[in-house]
Amino acid sequence: MRQINKKLIVSDFDGTLLTGGQIIPDEVRSAINEYVSCGGIFAVCTGRMLRSILPRVRELGLKGLVVAYQGTVIAEIESGKIIKKGAIDYSSAAEVCGYIELLKGSENLAYGINAYSEEVLYTDIPKDNEHLKVYERITGVDAESTGVKMSGFIFQNKLGCQKIACLVPPEHRERLYFNLLEKFRGKFDITCSAQVLVEVSPLSDNKGEALKFIASHYGVSMDSTVAIGDNLNDLPMIKEAGIGVAVGNAVQGLKDAADIVTVSNNDGAVAKIIEKYGFR
């Protein structure tokens, strides 16, 4: 049995553990299995809903904790029991959506809003929208259409939200991101998880805080942690980890902050990092 070096390795899922073809390569599966069998702790930290990520980590044979909604929810994989959960209160969530709707109207942009509340995905995007269909297929979650403005729907139904995600054309992502940052800085965590997504979640419920929670749960020092990611929502855990890794396909902002940049998700990045840092 090989000796463990770094005791805790935490990986993002989409764009990091998964390939562009939405599969987990055999070499990655084998590397994770060997690392865990030798005593290492491997965890997934994702922006996905809990109901979306649980089947995938169970399929991998992982046990222990999984992080969903990029830190807002942490749960036990085997039982599905939630051990940490945050939310944006309904009035604040309605305020965020109202501001996005205002920007959408004033700039005549095709923003769509997804709101995640208690494992239900609500959307104001038409159900026949091709981008929404792709999202539903990838995540394995069917969205419920509000049929009305999201801000009013959330307020009227008093929906606390684990996350609000805005679907935007790639060329408008940066504009919306900075508009939201200017309006809500210090009140919510605002980030980007994909080329077409700007996301709002509870303040301090981010991947960096999730990494610290997991490390404390297992009694692992932060010096013995490795975090791997590809997008800006991974930035907090990349900064907190003993070793922060950006995959080769990561956005430039993450690469600039990482300790190292490895190969892409399509080239078995997670397997390479496990081999490099997981063992002595």
Side-chain angles (χ1 to χ4, degrees):
M1 183 176 291
R2 301 173 69 184
Q3 278 195 315
I4 293 297
N5 180 18
K6 300 298 183 181
K7 296 179 181 177
L8 172 63
I9 298 178
V10 177
S11 175
D12 171 50
F13 195 65
D14 296 278
T16 303
L17 192 64
L18 280 188
T19 66
Q22 298 296 308
I23 65 169
I24 302 171
D26 289 341
E27 66 173 309
V28 172
R29 291 176 181 271
S30 297
I32 292 170
N33 289 339
E34 182 182 13
Y35 177 67
V36 171
S37 68
C38 290
I41 302 164
F42 187 88
V44 169
C45 185
T46 180
R48 287 195 186 205
M49 301 172 71
L50 183 61
R51 64 185 282 199
S52 174
I53 194 59
L54 269 180
R56 302 306 303 268
V57 292
R58 286 170 176 166
E59 168 198 331
L60 263 174
L62 292 179
K63 302 185 186 329
L65 303 183
V66 63
V67 179
Y69 302 102
Q70 61 213 23
T72 304
V73 170
I74 300 176
E76 295 174 349
I77 293 172
E78 292 175 282
S79 66
K81 178 184 176 183
I82 294 173
I83 62 173
K84 178 183 179 295
K85 182 172 74 172
I88 303 172
D89 68 86
Y90 78 91
S91 59
S92 295
E95 180 188 5
V96 170
C97 292
Y99 182 65
I100 295 170
E101 290 160 356
L102 180 66
L103 291 175
K104 175 182 176 180
S106 65
E107 300 183 16
N108 194 29
L109 296 174
Y111 294 166
I113 303 174
N114 289 340
Y116 303 75
S117 178
E118 304 301 329
E119 292 302 294
V120 179
L121 167 58
Y122 298 99
T123 189
D124 66 2
I125 303 170
K127 286 288 286 180
D128 61 354
N129 180 279
E130 288 303 318
H131 296 292
L132 180 63
K133 287 181 179 179
V134 170
Y135 183 82
E136 290 176 320
R137 185 170 66 251
I138 289 173
T139 60
V141 176
D142 288 332
E144 294 191 13
S145 180
T146 62
V148 295
K149 285 187 175 181
M150 186 64 76
S151 57
F153 183 84
I154 287 173
F155 194 83
Q156 289 167 13
N157 291 282
K158 295 182 169 54
L159 298 177
C161 294
Q162 276 66 58
K163 185 174 75 169
I164 296 164
C166 192
L167 183 68
V168 301
E171 63 272 20
H172 297 151
R173 186 184 81 161
E174 189 170 296
R175 185 193 309 178
L176 178 60
Y177 171 73
F178 284 110
N179 279 334
L180 288 172
L181 207 57
E182 182 179 2
K183 176 73 173 177
F184 296 114
R185 188 191 303 271
K187 189 172 182 181
F188 307 109
D189 189 79
I190 298 162
T191 191
C192 301
S193 63
Q195 193 179 21
V196 296
L197 287 174
V198 180
E199 304 194 358
V200 182
S201 54
L203 190 66
S204 297
D205 278 355
N206 57 50
K207 291 190 177 188
E209 293 302 312
L211 174 63
K212 291 193 286 186
F213 184 97
I214 294 173
S216 175
H217 177 84
Y218 290 115
V220 176
S221 70
M222 291 302 291
D223 287 344
S224 194
T225 65
V226 179
I228 317 168
D230 76 305
N231 223 305
L232 292 182
N233 64 331
D234 299 310
L235 192 57
M237 74 174 180
I238 294 300
K239 289 182 174 179
E240 290 290 350
I243 297 172
V245 181
V247 292
N249 53 291
V251 297
Q252 191 59 47
L254 194 73
K255 289 180 178 179
D256 292 342
D259 296 305
I260 70 159
V261 178
T262 187
V263 300
S264 79
N265 60 327
N266 290 329
D267 296 316
V270 171
K272 301 289 193 300
I273 293 305
I274 289 174
E275 184 61 34
K276 185 176 179 66
Y277 295 108
F279 301 103
R280 296 189 186 280

